[in-house]
Amino acid sequence: MRTDSSPGTLPAREHLPAGDAGTPVLDVVIPVYNEEKDLQPCVLRLHEHLRRTFPYAFRITIADNASTDTTPLVAARLEAEIPEVATFRLEQKGRGRALRTVWSAAEAPILAYMDVDLSTDLNALLPLVAPLISGHSDLAIGSRLARSSRVVRGPKREFISRAYNLILRGSLQARFSDAQCGFKAIRRDVAQVLLPLVEDTGWFFDTEMLVIAERAGLRIHEVPVDWVDDPDSTVHIVKTATEDLKGVWRVGRALATGSLPLDRITRPFGDDPRDRDIQDVPKGLARQLVGFCVVGGLSTLFYLLLYSLFRQFGGSQTANALALLVSAVANTAANRRLTFGVRGRGGAVRHQAQGLVVFGIGLALTSGSLAALNTATSNPAHSTELAVLIAANLAATVLRFLLFRAWVFPDRAEGENSTVVASHNPSSPTYATAPYPQYRLQPHGQRTYQSPLPQRPVVYPAAHQHHETTPIRAGEVADRSWEDATLHLQPVRPTETDPRDPR
């Protein structure tokens, strides 16, 4: 699993400015391999559709990954005839490799791709990218499995597609409905920090990207599509399915071991409405109590189930100790994530060690209760044991919550929160991301450096020309080891007055 350094935590989403004339807002990539027959009709049809319906400047990039037929010649001719078409040649196969290469070098703020057969109706393209332009979402996918989608394909492909998505839901807890539809889009700022974490270079690239994005809390927008199967598709179903299952195992193992630095690509504190201070909405103690009660109720059921199981093979004290130990570890992990909102691997071992101390106190309460019961009666009924244990666990639960809140997961001081360092101007809180190397695609894959897209000018009053650096809270990142990858934001320094500024 890739753990390359990335630009850092993402800034808050914003509606993209209209931009300068000629600067493409959307770059649609068409990955091709030996598609000399379908390439020209696809590009011409897509170009005509975008010219008629898309309200911004656009580009179509042909990503030729190691074609051996006349596909490169067709692509070069299209590039020469249509100003909005560019080509990029790779000498290795792999759809994921082609998308990563072109997206990493693209200058447009919205990046999309679609299959060359245009199986997906192009009327879904504007609904696909609109949430990304508006700042509502981070990624967008076309879904053939949505209720309102209209799909024409054979029963074999229908079965494979639905079975694969069921596997994703069962193994990786994926909530998106269609991982492999060749109709997706992503914001460039998201791609810059997400792509270094995606390892696959083939067909599993889509799934891996979506799973990582979803686990990091990014918003994925789904668009129902009309889709007609291409009977001449060259995709090898068995080979692709095998590679996909290997990818599911690899990503699942990385998520289970915590080797993916998901905190790098989370949105900053305040971008999520759940982070806002709203009147009459339970937060703090009330919110933690609700989460703790839910986790506690499930943990108690789990504990009683384990106790009844272990009681079949040993005495009551042994069964109680084992059941309480296993349920305590699960309870600490669940409360750490769900009740107190601690993410990442940082401090996990310490939290579990402190949780075991709390477990020891609970063990003393429950064991003492069992000892008192055995003293009072020599052969108590199993139902009586359970009743005593429930009462003792309720007392232990109250004490556990107080210790968790005050000792194991105390409220962090302001200085302990991970921060995004920004130059802050109280009267004009507008920021632009720091320069990040970009490439402009040139014919036949040549590259030249260029600066990022221009931001909308903002005028600062003379009284506030001096900027002081202050930390801005960007979410509670438990793993402090990634703070060196934090994105630094700098104030926009305009060179001219914005006519829309009332000042």
Side-chain angles (χ1 to χ4, degrees):
M1 186 60 60
R2 294 173 180 263
T3 56
D4 311 31
S5 60
S6 60
T9 306
L10 290 168
R13 287 187 299 262
E14 294 181 355
H15 194 297
L16 292 175
D20 297 337
T23 301
V25 171
L26 171 67
D27 192 341
V28 182
V29 181
I30 304 176
V32 292
Y33 172 71
N34 289 347
E35 297 288 354
E36 57 184 1
K37 176 182 176 182
D38 295 334
L39 180 57
Q40 180 168 328
C42 164
V43 172
L44 294 178
R45 180 180 164 193
L46 175 60
H47 179 266
E48 173 62 18
H49 177 83
L50 288 171
R51 188 186 61 81
R52 287 188 301 103
T53 64
F54 194 67
Y56 300 94
F58 63 88
R59 172 180 290 143
I60 301 172
T61 301
I62 303 170
D64 175 19
N65 47 327
S67 293
T68 57
D69 59 2
T70 61
T71 296
L73 299 178
V74 176
R77 184 171 66 249
L78 291 168
E79 182 182 38
E81 295 175 355
I82 305 175
E84 292 83 5
V85 174
T87 64
F88 197 93
R89 168 76 178 181
L90 294 91
E91 298 304 328
Q92 292 179 291
K93 292 177 60 177
R95 181 178 70 174
R97 178 180 289 107
L99 291 176
R100 178 189 290 111
T101 303
V102 177
W103 280 356
S104 298
E107 62 180 2
I110 304 299
L111 311 172
Y113 94 89
M114 61 182 61
D115 293 335
V116 69
D117 55 18
L118 293 186
S119 295
T120 305
D121 184 19
L122 292 178
N123 286 326
L125 182 55
L126 187 55
L128 182 80
V129 301
L132 308 187
I133 294 175
S134 69
H136 175 271
S137 301
D138 300 293
L139 299 91
I141 64 174
S143 175
R144 298 164 295 185
L145 302 181
R147 290 186 177 182
S148 56
S149 298
R150 292 176 290 186
V151 177
V152 178
R153 60 178 169 182
K156 181 179 179 181
R157 286 184 176 270
E158 180 75 12
F159 173 78
I160 293 175
S161 178
R162 292 188 178 274
Y164 178 65
N165 283 281
L166 284 175
I167 291 174
L168 294 181
R169 288 176 177 270
S171 60
L172 301 179
Q173 286 79 51
R175 294 192 298 270
F176 48 85
S177 65
D178 192 351
Q180 291 287 40
C181 181
F183 196 72
K184 295 182 175 67
I186 186 173
R187 289 176 64 102
R188 185 186 61 176
D189 58 347
V190 176
Q192 288 175 353
V193 294
L194 183 59
L195 293 181
L197 303 179
V198 180
E199 182 177 332
D200 191 78
T201 60
W203 293 95
F204 187 70
F205 173 88
D206 302 49
T207 302
E208 186 171 357
M209 178 180 68
L210 291 173
V211 169
I212 295 175
E214 187 176 71
R215 287 300 185 93
L218 301 184
R219 178 174 288 164
I220 301 175
H221 178 72
E222 294 198 15
V223 178
V225 297
D226 297 340
W227 195 84
V228 179
D229 187 19
D230 179 13
D232 299 324
S233 175
T234 59
V235 177
H236 300 287
I237 296 179
V238 176
K239 180 180 178 181
T240 301
T242 302
E243 294 299 322
D244 286 348
L245 292 177
K246 291 180 180 179
V248 169
W249 168 256
R250 174 174 52 79
V251 173
R253 183 176 57 186
L255 292 172
T257 59
S259 60
L260 278 171
L262 299 180
D263 288 322
R264 291 197 208 172
I265 50 179
T266 55
R267 287 292 181 184
F269 184 88
D271 190 50
D272 191 324
R274 293 170 295 183
D275 295 330
R276 299 172 189 168
D277 187 12
I278 304 174
Q279 296 294 329
D280 301 324
V281 176
K283 296 198 70 174
L285 177 61
R287 189 175 185 179
Q288 291 175 357
L289 275 173
V290 172
F292 187 83
C293 289
V294 172
V295 173
L298 295 176
S299 296
T300 301
L301 293 177
F302 184 48
Y303 161 78
L304 294 175
L305 178 63
L306 290 175
Y307 176 81
S308 298
L309 177 64
F310 294 147
R311 191 68 173 85
Q312 305 297 320
F313 308 100
S316 60
Q317 294 287 3
T318 302
N320 174 63
L322 290 175
L324 198 58
L325 175 62
V326 176
S327 61
V329 172
N331 181 276
T332 301
N335 277 307
R336 182 178 187 269
R337 175 65 180 86
L338 302 177
T339 304
F340 299 97
V342 180
R343 301 185 181 186
R345 300 176 64 187
V349 175
R350 176 173 57 84
H351 293 155
Q352 284 292 349
Q354 292 172 311
L356 289 178
V357 174
V358 178
F359 150 75
I361 298 174
L363 177 62
L365 284 173
T366 54
S367 297
S369 300
L370 283 176
L373 177 63
N374 290 327
T375 301
T377 190
S378 59
N379 189 23
H382 182 64
S383 58
T384 305
E385 286 184 349
L386 290 181
V388 169
L389 287 174
I390 290 174
N393 264 289
L394 288 176
T397 297
V398 174
L399 182 59
R400 185 186 303 123
F401 176 74
L402 296 176
L403 290 174
F404 272 0
R405 194 167 194 269
W407 180 46
V408 183
F409 307 109
D411 291 337
R412 293 181 179 83
E414 285 298 318
E416 295 180 1
N417 293 312
S418 62
T419 60
V420 174
V421 178
S423 296
H424 177 53
N425 184 331
S427 63
S428 302
T430 304
Y431 305 95
T433 55
Y436 183 76
Q438 301 296 324
Y439 301 96
R440 174 177 294 174
L441 299 185
Q442 298 291 349
H444 311 298
Q446 299 176 358
R447 299 177 178 177
T448 58
Y449 282 100
Q450 77 161 31
S451 61
L453 292 175
Q455 301 289 328
R456 183 171 71 88
V458 177
V459 177
Y460 295 104
H464 296 284
Q465 289 302 314
H466 175 68
H467 301 276
E468 297 181 356
T469 300
T470 57
I472 295 179
R473 189 176 181 183
E476 298 180 352
V477 181
D479 191 350
R480 302 286 302 233
S481 62
W482 301 112
E483 288 185 350
D484 58 346
T486 303
L487 178 64
H488 291 269
L489 306 183
Q490 299 296 334
V492 177
R493 300 187 182 277
T495 56
E496 59 184 0
T497 302
D498 184 359
R500 292 172 289 183
D501 195 323
R503 295 172 295 182

